[in-house]
Amino acid sequence: MAADQLTGQHGLRVTRGPRRFRRRYSAGSAGGGLVIAAPSHLAARSHLGARYDLSAFGHDPWWLVLLKAVGIFAFLVLTVLVAIYAERKVLAWMQMRVGPNRLGPAGILQSLADGIKLALKEGITPAGIDKPIYLLAPVIAVVPAIMAFAVIPFGPGVSIFGTRTPLQLTDLPVAVLYILAVTSVGVYGIVLAGWSSGSTYPLLGGLRSTAQVISYEVAMGLTFAAVFLYASTMSTSGIVAAQNGIWYVFLLLPSFVIYVTSMVGETNRAPFDLPEAEGELVGGFHTEYSSLRFAMFMLAEYINMVTVSALATTMFLGGWGAPWPVSMWDGANSGWWPLLWFVLKVWGFLFFFVWLRATLPRLRYDQFMNLGWKVLIPAALVWVMVVAVVRAFHNEGFEHHHLALAVAGIVVTPFVAVMVRSVIGPAKANVPTDDPDTPVDPQPFDAFSGGFPVPPLPGQLVSSKEGNDA
């Protein structure tokens, strides 16, 4: 067995040695650390040991930890202010309008003015609410969104006031699972806001948000499983290190497509903004909120956008790694330059959010549920199996695993696109025709059968009497 080994936290050591994996408990190591002997062809990858070595974290002085935490909070708040302004300007540009242009040069102070206006407005508390939960719900929505950034890597190690530290608050062996757990708590803020308001429309918005999280977080978790299989770690810094040679967006293309779709559904953004559909639910779960409480829900939405964008950057776009051809420069991935690449990638996803909002109409609720359960989850399951098979061949010494996985991704992705089109495509109306072979609903839809008007579902035939009355 080769002597090249790395020792991380909790006595975990990665040893490069024979071809087969061997596991044994070492009585001589601290706490009986687990020794893992890796195959030689895996040992050739220089970043394998870094996936398990978390010893760089947990040694910062208290003032540096506080400085990092304040820096992350400032980054998120400033990004939200700029994102709101940028969204309004980009939407105006795409729709041939002017957009904000009054406050500051080119309207750059509009977001700040809106925040001040919300802070100075009167906070109206409706009657008949569950007041403690009503007041606590916006806090529950905001805090988890900020906490998720604790394990996002912004860059490699840098020197801050003479202290060498990674540009990351902390890291965990299960950091991605921590993000999933924390962001899942945020939906409780939406659900409790809808329930505690004592109104029908907010309650329906909260229930819709619950259904969205249940549906789309399953698909999102399966895309992460493919990344875990290929990177052999759940640590965010380890996943970034594993993409040192090639980004996972090229190797795990179906996972990337499914994740991007799921992240839009998770953040309640158009075309998946059903919990706050103004045409159906007035304002959705935050209908009864005003002033700073309403602003906190908007802050949570935009911070969640930044969080899922940063996670997509970390999982599939190499994290803070410089893109090609900038990566050919020797200093591209050293110093503070990686922070610039990371921010640019995050803003690329934020632009994608705005682009979707300006382009696509809102989906019907049945289309949204069908997309999650009939397309994304089955496709993610199939793709995880494909990745597991390729990973097994890789462990046995198959040298062309990158090529095999890339080709499989190119083949699978069009099938996913076809399935999406079949689910969310336009519905065929069930109208009477002269063709006897054409199926027609024998029972025309009566909108007033329940005593109040109800719109027909897609494909239902409206009775001729109602059509004449209209």
Side-chain angles (χ1 to χ4, degrees), residues 22 29 150 197 329:
R22 295 185 302 166
S29 60
S197 296
W329 171 41

Side-chain angles (χ1 to χ4, degrees), residues 8-28:
Q9 288 181 336
H10 311 297
L12 181 62
R13 297 183 294 172
V14 178
T15 305
R16 300 170 181 174
R19 186 174 181 79
R20 297 285 183 178
F21 279 103
R22 295 185 302 166
R23 298 183 178 182
R24 63 181 176 84
Y25 286 97
S26 174

Side-chain angles (χ1 to χ4, degrees), residues 367-440:
Q367 291 176 322
F368 182 75
M369 288 292 104
N370 288 338
L371 177 61
W373 290 100
K374 294 183 179 180
V375 177
L376 298 185
I377 293 177
L381 280 171
V382 171
W383 179 243
V384 167
M385 296 302 298
V386 172
V387 175
V389 170
V390 175
R391 181 66 185 181
F393 279 106
H394 172 40
N395 290 344
E396 294 299 326
F398 181 64
E399 298 180 354
H400 303 289
H401 55 95
H402 284 344
L403 179 61
L405 203 56
V407 171
I410 295 174
V411 172
V412 171
T413 303
F415 284 100
V416 177
V418 171
M419 294 172 65
V420 170
R421 177 62 181 172
S422 65
V423 170
I424 65 175
K428 296 181 180 179
N430 192 2
V431 296
T433 63
D434 297 334
D435 187 1
D437 297 331
T438 302
V440 178

Side-chain angles (χ1 to χ4, degrees), residues 1-18 21-24 26 29 33-39 42-54 231-233:
M1 180 181 298
D4 185 11
Q5 66 182 21
L6 294 170
T7 303
Q9 288 181 336
H10 311 297
L12 181 62
R13 297 183 294 172
V14 178
T15 305
R16 300 170 181 174
F21 279 103
R22 295 185 302 166
R23 298 183 178 182
R24 63 181 176 84
S26 174
S29 60
L34 179 64
V35 179
I36 305 176
L42 290 183
R45 300 176 68 177
S46 60
H47 50 265
L48 177 66
R51 299 177 186 177
Y52 299 94
D53 187 11
L54 303 179
S232 300
T233 181

Side-chain angles (χ1 to χ4, degrees), residues 5 48 60 62 92 95 97 129 153 156 192 238 259 276 279 303 328 359 384 389 434 442 451 466:
Q5 66 182 21
L48 177 66
D60 293 334
W62 67 268
Q95 299 169 356
R97 298 185 289 105
I129 63 172
L192 294 176
Y259 173 81
E276 47 190 276
I303 290 180
M328 300 177 65
T359 306
V384 167
V389 170
D434 297 334
E466 294 174 13

Side-chain angles (χ1 to χ4, degrees), residues 240-300:
V240 172
Q243 300 176 70
N244 187 28
I246 182 171
W247 293 354
Y248 284 165
V249 65
F250 303 111
L251 296 179
L252 305 174
L253 182 60
S255 292
F256 176 73
V257 173
I258 295 172
Y259 173 81
V260 169
T261 307
S262 300
M263 77 179 188
V264 179
E266 281 275 294
T267 52
N268 300 333
R269 292 280 302 184
F272 302 148
D273 54 340
L274 295 168
E276 47 190 276
E278 70 280 354
E280 307 163 25
L281 306 178
V282 184
F285 62 91
H286 52 61
T287 300
E288 304 294 343
Y289 282 86
S290 61
S291 187
L292 279 178
R293 299 164 195 158
F294 176 82
M296 291 180 71
F297 279 117
M298 293 297 99
L299 179 66

Side-chain angles (χ1 to χ4, degrees), residues 73-128:
F73 180 77
F75 169 78
L76 291 175
V77 173
L78 291 176
T79 302
V80 168
L81 289 176
V82 177
I84 294 174
Y85 169 76
E87 180 174 12
R88 297 178 67 179
K89 280 301 232 183
V90 172
L91 285 175
W93 170 64
M94 290 182 174
Q95 299 169 356
M96 301 181 66
R97 298 185 289 105
V98 178
N101 65 342
R102 296 293 182 182
L103 298 173
I108 60 175
L109 298 179
Q110 184 65 56
S111 298
L112 181 61
D114 290 340
I116 296 175
K117 178 188 70 174
L118 285 173
L120 297 178
K121 288 176 73 73
E122 179 184 2
I124 300 174
T125 303

